[in-house]
Each structure stands twice: as structure tokens, then as C-alpha cells.
Amino acid sequence: DAGVIQSPRHEVTEMGQEVTLRCKPISGHNSLFWYRQTMMRGLELLIYFNNNVPIDDSGMPEDRFSAKMPNASFSTLKIQPSEPRDSAVYFCASSLDLGSFYTFGSGTRLTVV
Amino acid sequence: TQLLEQSPQFLSIQEGENLTVYCNSSSVFSSLQWYRQEPGEGPVLLVTVVTGGEVKKLKRLTFQFGDARKDSSLHITAAQPGDTGLYLCAGPGGTSYGKLTFGQGTILTVHP
């Protein structure tokens, strides 16, 4: 298995632009998680899905953030409009089911200038 | 919210030294996981501890879960430069089932 695949690996964008991060979970995994990592705040859970249904989005910082999971093999995290304080590494992780260990992707390093 | 506090935050040692990283909470956890993250990559699971007092060994790494299931430790014997990375503990918590709460992590640097 190729593991959890995230794209792009790096994204540099100007403030105010829309940013879309993509994730392909491991085939057969029913749960998908979006995390944000910064030096100041560590790993923060933004939202997670189980069987393509959002379970908890309480970690989404603002209405500028939205996430979708249209099918079992694809999820997106969108920021519109982006701001410099959104600069961070965004990780997608999947697990066989809720309560199982996570397999993380390699992350997307987002820089908003 | 169940919080996990890790210490120390930074650790810089020479190859061959031993070290211990701690993960503490005021809450009881049903299990705790340890991950290692290398630069430019996502965290990778090292071990899951489930039973209070449990000890698990992974080559030179020894993981222990406290008897009361509120704390855990990671001990590395004869550290190698390849052990360099960010070590994270994580546990299930919060109001929603299935999500993990992560500690802030310990950044370990092992110098040759």
C-alpha cells in the first residue's frame, strides 16, 4: 500500500487566495483526520470523518476552513480566504476505524504570504 | 479536554547516552500511543500501551504505562543519531469517540 497520500507537499500562496489541500487515505480505512501542526501549538485536530461523515469539526478554527469527504478515497481541506496565520504543516491521517492507531501522510507545508 | 504534558520539551545528547521522555496527565487514559516524527514527514506509530503497569520493548526503546494509566515514559538506551526526531505521546480523549489528543512532543537530537 502507498500509505496516506497528500498533495501538494508544499504550497505558497498570497493572502486572500483560496487553498485546497488533498488527501487519499489508505484503502479500507474508515476514518480520516485532518491535523494542523505548528511550533507554538503542536498537533491540533481540525476535523475527522468516519465512513465519509464528519463526526467532529470543533477544531476548525474559523468559517474560512471547510473540509469534505465525497467518497472513501478522497478528502479535501479548503481555506478561503487564506491568511498568513494559516501558515503551518497540515497532516491527513487515516485509521482502520475509530479507536485504531493512525497512519499519517507526509503533510502539506502551507505558507501564506 | 484531556491534556497530555510531555517533558522535557528539548533534549540534546551524545551518541551512546541513555534518556527518558515523560508523558503525564491528570486524566486516566484507556490507552496511550507513542509516535516518532522525522523532519518533513508525518508521525509514525511506535507502540500502543493498554494495561496499567505494562512495559513494552522495541529494540533499544522501552515504553511503560503507569499503574494508574495517567502517565507513560519512553526510555532509550544507547541513543543513536538515527533516533533523532520528535517524540509524541497521544491518547483517546475529548467528548467525541475516536479522536486522539497529542502532547506537545519532545524534540530529541542525538549527536554523533
PDB file of all heavy atoms in Angstrom, chain A residues 16-40:
ATOM      1  N   GLY A  16      -5.431  35.945   1.014  1.00  0.00           N
ATOM      2  CA  GLY A  16      -6.676  36.192   0.321  1.00  0.00           C
ATOM      3  C   GLY A  16      -7.020  35.140  -0.721  1.00  0.00           C
ATOM      4  O   GLY A  16      -8.179  35.038  -1.155  1.00  0.00           O
ATOM      5  N   GLN A  17      -6.039  34.347  -1.109  1.00  0.00           N
ATOM      6  CA  GLN A  17      -6.275  33.310  -2.114  1.00  0.00           C
ATOM      7  C   GLN A  17      -6.911  32.079  -1.477  1.00  0.00           C
ATOM      8  O   GLN A  17      -6.767  31.812  -0.270  1.00  0.00           O
ATOM      9  CB  GLN A  17      -4.967  32.913  -2.790  1.00  0.00           C
ATOM     10  CG  GLN A  17      -4.339  34.041  -3.600  1.00  0.00           C
ATOM     11  CD  GLN A  17      -5.236  34.475  -4.739  1.00  0.00           C
ATOM     12  OE1 GLN A  17      -5.667  33.666  -5.566  1.00  0.00           O
ATOM     13  NE2 GLN A  17      -5.530  35.772  -4.791  1.00  0.00           N
ATOM     14  N   GLU A  18      -7.574  31.305  -2.317  1.00  0.00           N
ATOM     15  CA  GLU A  18      -8.142  30.035  -1.863  1.00  0.00           C
ATOM     16  C   GLU A  18      -7.083  28.947  -1.951  1.00  0.00           C
ATOM     17  O   GLU A  18      -6.317  28.898  -2.919  1.00  0.00           O
ATOM     18  CB  GLU A  18      -9.335  29.664  -2.742  1.00  0.00           C
ATOM     19  CG  GLU A  18      -9.964  28.329  -2.394  1.00  0.00           C
ATOM     20  CD  GLU A  18     -11.152  27.996  -3.294  1.00  0.00           C
ATOM     21  OE1 GLU A  18     -12.164  28.706  -3.217  1.00  0.00           O
ATOM     22  OE2 GLU A  18     -11.058  27.018  -4.060  1.00  0.00           O
ATOM     23  N   VAL A  19      -7.051  28.097  -0.933  1.00  0.00           N
ATOM     24  CA  VAL A  19      -6.100  26.991  -0.896  1.00  0.00           C
ATOM     25  C   VAL A  19      -6.877  25.691  -0.711  1.00  0.00           C
ATOM     26  O   VAL A  19      -7.773  25.616   0.139  1.00  0.00           O
ATOM     27  CB  VAL A  19      -5.112  27.152   0.277  1.00  0.00           C
ATOM     28  CG1 VAL A  19      -4.198  25.943   0.369  1.00  0.00           C
ATOM     29  CG2 VAL A  19      -4.292  28.423   0.111  1.00  0.00           C
ATOM     30  N   THR A  20      -6.536  24.677  -1.479  1.00  0.00           N
ATOM     31  CA  THR A  20      -7.171  23.360  -1.337  1.00  0.00           C
ATOM     32  C   THR A  20      -6.107  22.302  -1.133  1.00  0.00           C
ATOM     33  O   THR A  20      -5.211  22.147  -1.962  1.00  0.00           O
ATOM     34  CB  THR A  20      -8.020  23.009  -2.572  1.00  0.00           C
ATOM     35  OG1 THR A  20      -9.045  23.991  -2.727  1.00  0.00           O
ATOM     36  CG2 THR A  20      -8.667  21.639  -2.384  1.00  0.00           C
ATOM     37  N   LEU A  21      -6.220  21.609  -0.019  1.00  0.00           N
ATOM     38  CA  LEU A  21      -5.306  20.521   0.297  1.00  0.00           C
ATOM     39  C   LEU A  21      -6.048  19.203   0.074  1.00  0.00           C
ATOM     40  O   LEU A  21      -7.232  19.097   0.386  1.00  0.00           O
ATOM     41  CB  LEU A  21      -4.835  20.615   1.750  1.00  0.00           C
ATOM     42  CG  LEU A  21      -4.326  21.992   2.204  1.00  0.00           C
ATOM     43  CD1 LEU A  21      -3.877  21.931   3.652  1.00  0.00           C
ATOM     44  CD2 LEU A  21      -3.219  22.489   1.305  1.00  0.00           C
ATOM     45  N   ARG A  22      -5.318  18.211  -0.419  1.00  0.00           N
ATOM     46  CA  ARG A  22      -5.953  16.957  -0.810  1.00  0.00           C
ATOM     47  C   ARG A  22      -5.357  15.779  -0.065  1.00  0.00           C
ATOM     48  O   ARG A  22      -4.170  15.786   0.283  1.00  0.00           O
ATOM     49  CB  ARG A  22      -5.822  16.749  -2.314  1.00  0.00           C
ATOM     50  CG  ARG A  22      -6.537  17.823  -3.129  1.00  0.00           C
ATOM     51  CD  ARG A  22      -6.258  17.717  -4.603  1.00  0.00           C
ATOM     52  NE  ARG A  22      -7.034  18.693  -5.370  1.00  0.00           N
ATOM     53  CZ  ARG A  22      -6.717  19.971  -5.490  1.00  0.00           C
ATOM     54  NH1 ARG A  22      -5.615  20.453  -4.909  1.00  0.00           N
ATOM     55  NH2 ARG A  22      -7.486  20.777  -6.197  1.00  0.00           N
ATOM     56  N   CYS A  23      -6.187  14.762   0.133  1.00  0.00           N
ATOM     57  CA  CYS A  23      -5.746  13.584   0.874  1.00  0.00           C
ATOM     58  C   CYS A  23      -6.421  12.333   0.332  1.00  0.00           C
ATOM     59  O   CYS A  23      -7.638  12.308   0.108  1.00  0.00           O
ATOM     60  CB  CYS A  23      -6.069  13.734   2.358  1.00  0.00           C
ATOM     61  SG  CYS A  23      -5.680  12.260   3.349  1.00  0.00           S
ATOM     62  N   LYS A  24      -5.608  11.311   0.141  1.00  0.00           N
ATOM     63  CA  LYS A  24      -6.122   9.993  -0.221  1.00  0.00           C
ATOM     64  C   LYS A  24      -5.770   9.047   0.913  1.00  0.00           C
ATOM     65  O   LYS A  24      -4.589   8.769   1.145  1.00  0.00           O
ATOM     66  CB  LYS A  24      -5.500   9.507  -1.527  1.00  0.00           C
ATOM     67  CG  LYS A  24      -5.907   8.098  -1.943  1.00  0.00           C
ATOM     68  CD  LYS A  24      -5.257   7.713  -3.262  1.00  0.00           C
ATOM     69  CE  LYS A  24      -5.410   6.234  -3.580  1.00  0.00           C
ATOM     70  NZ  LYS A  24      -6.818   5.789  -3.543  1.00  0.00           N
ATOM     71  N   PRO A  25      -6.760   8.540   1.641  1.00  0.00           N
ATOM     72  CA  PRO A  25      -6.453   7.656   2.777  1.00  0.00           C
ATOM     73  C   PRO A  25      -6.064   6.260   2.300  1.00  0.00           C
ATOM     74  O   PRO A  25      -6.176   5.943   1.112  1.00  0.00           O
ATOM     75  CB  PRO A  25      -7.772   7.616   3.548  1.00  0.00           C
ATOM     76  CG  PRO A  25      -8.815   7.833   2.489  1.00  0.00           C
ATOM     77  CD  PRO A  25      -8.195   8.769   1.494  1.00  0.00           C
ATOM     78  N   ILE A  26      -5.625   5.449   3.231  1.00  0.00           N
ATOM     79  CA  ILE A  26      -5.315   4.058   2.917  1.00  0.00           C
ATOM     80  C   ILE A  26      -6.611   3.328   2.584  1.00  0.00           C
ATOM     81  O   ILE A  26      -7.624   3.481   3.290  1.00  0.00           O
ATOM     82  CB  ILE A  26      -4.592   3.384   4.097  1.00  0.00           C
ATOM     83  CG1 ILE A  26      -3.185   3.978   4.249  1.00  0.00           C
ATOM     84  CG2 ILE A  26      -4.519   1.874   3.924  1.00  0.00           C
ATOM     85  CD1 ILE A  26      -2.416   3.461   5.445  1.00  0.00           C
ATOM     86  N   SER A  27      -6.584   2.552   1.532  1.00  0.00           N
ATOM     87  CA  SER A  27      -7.766   1.813   1.109  1.00  0.00           C
ATOM     88  C   SER A  27      -8.240   0.893   2.232  1.00  0.00           C
ATOM     89  O   SER A  27      -7.451   0.153   2.822  1.00  0.00           O
ATOM     90  CB  SER A  27      -7.429   0.989  -0.144  1.00  0.00           C
ATOM     91  OG  SER A  27      -8.530   0.217  -0.527  1.00  0.00           O
ATOM     92  N   GLY A  28      -9.535   0.976   2.523  1.00  0.00           N
ATOM     93  CA  GLY A  28     -10.094   0.130   3.576  1.00  0.00           C
ATOM     94  C   GLY A  28     -10.183   0.813   4.931  1.00  0.00           C
ATOM     95  O   GLY A  28     -10.841   0.298   5.840  1.00  0.00           O
ATOM     96  N   HIS A  29      -9.506   1.946   5.074  1.00  0.00           N
ATOM     97  CA  HIS A  29      -9.598   2.702   6.321  1.00  0.00           C
ATOM     98  C   HIS A  29     -10.897   3.496   6.327  1.00  0.00           C
ATOM     99  O   HIS A  29     -11.224   4.167   5.351  1.00  0.00           O
ATOM    100  CB  HIS A  29      -8.402   3.641   6.462  1.00  0.00           C
ATOM    101  CG  HIS A  29      -7.173   2.953   6.959  1.00  0.00           C
ATOM    102  ND1 HIS A  29      -6.078   3.648   7.460  1.00  0.00           N
ATOM    103  CD2 HIS A  29      -6.869   1.638   7.061  1.00  0.00           C
ATOM    104  CE1 HIS A  29      -5.162   2.778   7.840  1.00  0.00           C
ATOM    105  NE2 HIS A  29      -5.593   1.553   7.604  1.00  0.00           N
ATOM    106  N   ASN A  30     -11.618   3.430   7.448  1.00  0.00           N
ATOM    107  CA  ASN A  30     -12.928   4.071   7.520  1.00  0.00           C
ATOM    108  C   ASN A  30     -12.905   5.457   8.147  1.00  0.00           C
ATOM    109  O   ASN A  30     -13.901   6.166   8.080  1.00  0.00           O
ATOM    110  CB  ASN A  30     -13.882   3.193   8.333  1.00  0.00           C
ATOM    111  CG  ASN A  30     -14.173   1.883   7.634  1.00  0.00           C
ATOM    112  OD1 ASN A  30     -14.221   1.829   6.413  1.00  0.00           O
ATOM    113  ND2 ASN A  30     -14.367   0.835   8.399  1.00  0.00           N
ATOM    114  N   SER A  31     -11.787   5.812   8.796  1.00  0.00           N
ATOM    115  CA  SER A  31     -11.733   7.091   9.495  1.00  0.00           C
ATOM    116  C   SER A  31     -10.613   7.951   8.925  1.00  0.00           C
ATOM    117  O   SER A  31      -9.524   7.445   8.616  1.00  0.00           O
ATOM    118  CB  SER A  31     -11.484   6.872  10.995  1.00  0.00           C
ATOM    119  OG  SER A  31     -12.504   6.062  11.549  1.00  0.00           O
ATOM    120  N   LEU A  32     -10.890   9.242   8.803  1.00  0.00           N
ATOM    121  CA  LEU A  32      -9.914  10.175   8.245  1.00  0.00           C
ATOM    122  C   LEU A  32      -9.877  11.409   9.115  1.00  0.00           C
ATOM    123  O   LEU A  32     -10.911  11.916   9.556  1.00  0.00           O
ATOM    124  CB  LEU A  32     -10.287  10.550   6.803  1.00  0.00           C
ATOM    125  CG  LEU A  32      -9.307  11.479   6.072  1.00  0.00           C
ATOM    126  CD1 LEU A  32      -9.164  11.050   4.612  1.00  0.00           C
ATOM    127  CD2 LEU A  32      -9.702  12.928   6.183  1.00  0.00           C
ATOM    128  N   PHE A  33      -8.652  11.901   9.353  1.00  0.00           N
ATOM    129  CA  PHE A  33      -8.433  13.011  10.277  1.00  0.00           C
ATOM    130  C   PHE A  33      -7.580  14.091   9.601  1.00  0.00           C
ATOM    131  O   PHE A  33      -6.625  13.779   8.894  1.00  0.00           O
ATOM    132  CB  PHE A  33      -7.682  12.524  11.525  1.00  0.00           C
ATOM    133  CG  PHE A  33      -8.332  11.357  12.225  1.00  0.00           C
ATOM    134  CD1 PHE A  33      -8.149  10.067  11.751  1.00  0.00           C
ATOM    135  CD2 PHE A  33      -9.134  11.551  13.333  1.00  0.00           C
ATOM    136  CE1 PHE A  33      -8.750   8.977  12.379  1.00  0.00           C
ATOM    137  CE2 PHE A  33      -9.738  10.468  13.974  1.00  0.00           C
ATOM    138  CZ  PHE A  33      -9.560   9.183  13.495  1.00  0.00           C
ATOM    139  N   TRP A  34      -7.926  15.340   9.846  1.00  0.00           N
ATOM    140  CA  TRP A  34      -7.100  16.469   9.408  1.00  0.00           C
ATOM    141  C   TRP A  34      -6.519  17.149  10.651  1.00  0.00           C
ATOM    142  O   TRP A  34      -7.265  17.547  11.553  1.00  0.00           O
ATOM    143  CB  TRP A  34      -7.915  17.483   8.616  1.00  0.00           C
ATOM    144  CG  TRP A  34      -8.192  17.098   7.195  1.00  0.00           C
ATOM    145  CD1 TRP A  34      -9.341  16.590   6.677  1.00  0.00           C
ATOM    146  CD2 TRP A  34      -7.290  17.235   6.090  1.00  0.00           C
ATOM    147  NE1 TRP A  34      -9.220  16.374   5.332  1.00  0.00           N
ATOM    148  CE2 TRP A  34      -7.970  16.774   4.940  1.00  0.00           C
ATOM    149  CE3 TRP A  34      -5.983  17.693   5.953  1.00  0.00           C
ATOM    150  CZ2 TRP A  34      -7.386  16.751   3.672  1.00  0.00           C
ATOM    151  CZ3 TRP A  34      -5.398  17.677   4.686  1.00  0.00           C
ATOM    152  CH2 TRP A  34      -6.097  17.212   3.566  1.00  0.00           C
ATOM    153  N   TYR A  35      -5.186  17.269  10.672  1.00  0.00           N
ATOM    154  CA  TYR A  35      -4.475  17.933  11.752  1.00  0.00           C
ATOM    155  C   TYR A  35      -3.670  19.097  11.190  1.00  0.00           C
ATOM    156  O   TYR A  35      -3.268  19.097  10.032  1.00  0.00           O
ATOM    157  CB  TYR A  35      -3.499  16.970  12.451  1.00  0.00           C
ATOM    158  CG  TYR A  35      -4.111  16.051  13.485  1.00  0.00           C
ATOM    159  CD1 TYR A  35      -4.708  14.857  13.100  1.00  0.00           C
ATOM    160  CD2 TYR A  35      -4.076  16.370  14.838  1.00  0.00           C
ATOM    161  CE1 TYR A  35      -5.255  14.006  14.066  1.00  0.00           C
ATOM    162  CE2 TYR A  35      -4.617  15.518  15.802  1.00  0.00           C
ATOM    163  CZ  TYR A  35      -5.206  14.340  15.402  1.00  0.00           C
ATOM    164  OH  TYR A  35      -5.752  13.492  16.348  1.00  0.00           O
ATOM    165  N   ARG A  36      -3.401  20.063  12.066  1.00  0.00           N
ATOM    166  CA  ARG A  36      -2.507  21.169  11.737  1.00  0.00           C
ATOM    167  C   ARG A  36      -1.388  21.168  12.767  1.00  0.00           C
ATOM    168  O   ARG A  36      -1.650  20.998  13.966  1.00  0.00           O
ATOM    169  CB  ARG A  36      -3.273  22.498  11.771  1.00  0.00           C
ATOM    170  CG  ARG A  36      -2.424  23.710  11.498  1.00  0.00           C
ATOM    171  CD  ARG A  36      -3.274  24.954  11.347  1.00  0.00           C
ATOM    172  NE  ARG A  36      -3.939  25.364  12.574  1.00  0.00           N
ATOM    173  CZ  ARG A  36      -4.710  26.447  12.664  1.00  0.00           C
ATOM    174  NH1 ARG A  36      -4.894  27.205  11.607  1.00  0.00           N
ATOM    175  NH2 ARG A  36      -5.278  26.762  13.815  1.00  0.00           N
ATOM    176  N   GLN A  37      -0.146  21.361  12.314  1.00  0.00           N
ATOM    177  CA  GLN A  37       0.983  21.354  13.227  1.00  0.00           C
ATOM    178  C   GLN A  37       1.768  22.649  13.117  1.00  0.00           C
ATOM    179  O   GLN A  37       2.180  23.052  12.025  1.00  0.00           O
ATOM    180  CB  GLN A  37       1.911  20.163  12.948  1.00  0.00           C
ATOM    181  CG  GLN A  37       3.041  20.006  13.963  1.00  0.00           C
ATOM    182  CD  GLN A  37       3.894  18.766  13.706  1.00  0.00           C
ATOM    183  OE1 GLN A  37       4.230  18.448  12.571  1.00  0.00           O
ATOM    184  NE2 GLN A  37       4.224  18.030  14.761  1.00  0.00           N
ATOM    185  N   THR A  38       1.968  23.300  14.251  1.00  0.00           N
ATOM    186  CA  THR A  38       2.828  24.475  14.335  1.00  0.00           C
ATOM    187  C   THR A  38       3.749  24.323  15.534  1.00  0.00           C
ATOM    188  O   THR A  38       3.478  23.506  16.432  1.00  0.00           O
ATOM    189  CB  THR A  38       2.020  25.779  14.502  1.00  0.00           C
ATOM    190  OG1 THR A  38       1.263  25.677  15.729  1.00  0.00           O
ATOM    191  CG2 THR A  38       1.064  26.003  13.352  1.00  0.00           C
ATOM    192  N   MET A  39       4.824  25.078  15.548  1.00  0.00           N
ATOM    193  CA  MET A  39       5.748  25.010  16.688  1.00  0.00           C
ATOM    194  C   MET A  39       5.056  25.460  17.966  1.00  0.00           C
ATOM    195  O   MET A  39       5.283  24.887  19.030  1.00  0.00           O
ATOM    196  CB  MET A  39       6.962  25.893  16.414  1.00  0.00           C
ATOM    197  CG  MET A  39       7.977  25.272  15.493  1.00  0.00           C
ATOM    198  SD  MET A  39       8.716  23.786  16.203  1.00  0.00           S
ATOM    199  CE  MET A  39       9.600  24.486  17.587  1.00  0.00           C
ATOM    200  N   MET A  40       4.217  26.468  17.848  1.00  0.00           N
ATOM    201  CA  MET A  40       3.600  27.040  19.050  1.00  0.00           C
ATOM    202  C   MET A  40       2.511  26.132  19.625  1.00  0.00           C
ATOM    203  O   MET A  40       2.394  25.993  20.837  1.00  0.00           O
ATOM    204  CB  MET A  40       2.988  28.402  18.717  1.00  0.00           C
ATOM    205  CG  MET A  40       4.011  29.490  18.464  1.00  0.00           C
ATOM    206  SD  MET A  40       5.006  29.813  19.913  1.00  0.00           S
ATOM    207  CE  MET A  40       3.767  30.456  21.029  1.00  0.00           C
TER     208      MET A  40
END
